Amino acid sequence: MENKDKDYLEQVYSLSTPAETRALYDEWAETYDAEIMDNGYATPLRVARALAAQVKNLDRPVLDFGCGTGLCGAALIQSGFTAIDGADLSADMLAEARAKGVYRDLWQVHAGSDLPFDPGDYAAITAAGVIGSGAAPPETLDLLLDNLAPGGLLAFSFNDHALDDPEYEGRLRRAVEDGIVQILFQEHGPHLPAIGLNATVYVIEKA
């Protein structure tokens, strides 16, 4: 049998299709936490703390989109949130997230499908380390904003690979210029410091 205990970080940023992404993350699920935390993964806690600073009621429901193995869900709990659901493309990642016991509910999403909730069901959505090369495409930003009610918050990150592609920040800039959102928080800082990769964390509010 092929040895699955390998450096997936060498592969992840070259993925180009949802099927490739799902397959790699399914394969990576059992060793994901160990590998990524060995590289100092800082973004989940950065996103959770940035969101908590903008939220008055930490008991309102939050969706952790692209929750993976649940590292952002754990960071949200650590930051004081009490009602968190998670969604991810990878069934194996969801199994790891379920074992952490930090989510009320978890479900699998499918590329190109509508999300199974109504705008306003969640006061905020997080997407920590989700939108970028090897993960979710730029239009994911629009999808998540469409599923927030006015006043809803989106806390997310663009790592340096995403920032190098003008389409990612361009989506955000157009949303700001069109009056769809306002930026409440923006900070560039560590993402995976062991490999010298940083990310900008944002919290934006839907108008």
Side-chain angles (χ1 to χ4, degrees), residues 4-201:
K4 303 299 186 185
D5 188 14
K6 56 189 177 184
D7 186 356
Y8 291 95
L9 283 174
E10 293 180 355
Q11 306 171 55
V12 67
Y13 297 115
S14 64
L15 300 173
S16 58
T17 69
E20 288 177 354
T21 300
R22 184 177 62 252
L24 183 136
Y25 279 96
D26 278 343
E27 185 179 300
W28 194 5
E30 288 187 7
T31 60
Y32 177 86
D33 284 8
E35 181 176 342
I36 205 160
M37 295 309 291
D38 281 350
N39 284 280
Y41 191 32
T43 299
L45 191 56
R46 291 182 61 213
V47 166
R49 286 175 172 171
L51 179 60
Q54 301 294 333
V55 172
K56 294 180 180 179
N57 182 359
L58 296 176
D59 294 327
R60 295 188 64 193
V62 175
L63 174 65
D64 181 16
F65 183 82
C67 65
T69 62
L71 294 176
C72 189
L76 288 164
I77 291 289
Q78 182 179 340
S79 300
F81 292 92
T82 64
I84 308 158
D85 294 341
D88 199 85
L89 194 68
S90 164
D92 288 6
M93 285 282 191
L94 287 169
E96 298 293 326
R98 188 169 290 108
K100 286 186 171 62
V102 298
Y103 295 99
R104 300 184 311 175
D105 192 17
L106 288 162
W107 69 83
Q108 188 173 12
V109 295
H110 301 279
S113 298
D114 292 336
L115 299 180
F117 60 90
D118 295 322
D121 285 354
Y122 294 101
I125 298 174
T126 60
V130 173
I131 307 173
S133 304
E139 55 266 28
T140 305
L141 183 66
D142 302 328
L143 172 69
L144 298 179
L145 289 175
D146 287 345
N147 283 276
L148 281 172
L153 302 181
L154 175 61
F156 65 102
S157 62
F158 287 155
N159 68 29
D160 287 340
H161 294 296
L163 294 170
D164 285 341
D165 182 340
E167 180 59 23
Y168 288 93
E169 277 197 304
R171 292 263 176 172
L172 175 58
R173 184 174 60 252
R174 288 192 292 274
V176 172
E177 292 172 351
D178 291 344
I180 297 169
V181 302
Q182 62 172 328
I183 297 175
L184 304 180
F185 176 89
Q186 178 177 343
E187 180 187 67
H188 196 65
H191 178 59
L192 293 167
I195 60 171
L197 191 64
N198 293 320
T200 298
V201 167

